Amino acid sequence: MHAADVMTRTVVSVDPGLPVGEIAKLMLTRKVSAVPVVDGSGKLIGMVSEGDLMRRAELATEKQRSWWLRLFVGDDYLAPEFVKSHGLRARDVMTRDVVTVDESTPVVEIVNLIEEHRIKRVPVMRDGKMVGIVSRANLLHALASAADIEPARSAGSD
């Protein structure tokens, strides 16, 4: 079984300039936990997930650092956190290093990537364009479908 066999083919994606509030509404309406961010040519440039929207200034959930820690860590460490919690658009809050697979990637390799990178989904690519996405839910659907198929019994196996 490969990515093409289990992936969702209709994927809702967003423009890098879409406001964070609109992204949240879209995710709720479409009942998805993440959306790929694509540029004007359709190239995948990032992903905005529920996790990317958890630490927000509007919710007073941004990370609070103690004053003494701020003395020891530089702005290069704290600035990305600030942008993530105060950013207004997809480009500000998206995860940029997105793990992807192609359509022929075996499911076992997808599972390994999901575990290794502690992610919940991987976009499926063909010739630099996204053609689908494999989420943990897709893998559960594949398992449920496989469980419906009776395994072939060999002679004498009772």
Side-chain angles (χ1 to χ4, degrees):
M1 196 173 293
H2 299 88
D5 301 320
V6 299
M7 70 183 186
T8 298
R9 295 177 187 279
T10 305
V11 179
V12 59
S13 61
V14 300
D15 179 83
L18 192 66
V20 168
E22 293 300 313
I23 296 168
K25 289 175 189 173
L26 179 66
M27 289 168 62
L28 290 168
T29 302
R30 297 295 294 264
K31 295 182 171 78
V32 295
S33 59
V35 289
V37 182
V38 296
D39 66 12
S41 66
K43 179 183 175 205
L44 177 68
I45 59 170
M47 183 82 70
V48 177
S49 70
E50 291 169 336
D52 293 318
L53 301 177
M54 297 279 296
R55 298 278 185 183
R56 296 292 304 167
E58 302 92 331
L59 302 174
T61 57
E62 71 268 37
K63 287 186 179 177
Q64 302 295 320
R65 301 292 183 183
S66 64
W67 65 270
W68 64 268
L69 180 61
R70 287 183 293 219
L71 294 174
F72 295 104
V73 296
D75 289 341
D76 56 331
Y77 178 80
L78 296 174
E81 271 185 16
F82 182 87
V83 170
K84 195 99 161 161
S85 64
H86 290 79
L88 301 177
R89 308 213 175 268
R91 73 173 66 84
D92 303 325
V93 300
M94 70 184 186
T95 297
R96 295 177 187 279
D97 299 323
V98 179
V99 175
T100 64
V101 297
D102 64 41
E103 296 170 291
S104 63
T105 303
V107 168
V108 66
E109 189 174 324
I110 295 169
V111 170
N112 290 340
L113 287 169
I114 286 172
E115 287 180 337
E116 177 184 339
H117 294 279
R118 295 184 175 151
I119 54 179
K120 297 179 181 176
R121 70 210 48 84
V122 291
V124 181
M125 310 298 287
R126 180 192 316 135
D127 301 325
K129 300 283 185 186
M130 187 176 49
V131 295
I133 197 161
V134 175
S135 68
R136 295 185 305 179
N138 294 120
L139 297 170
L140 288 177
H141 284 288
L143 172 63
S145 294
D148 288 341
I149 301 170
E150 277 289 319
R153 297 182 72 181
S154 59
S157 61
D158 281 359

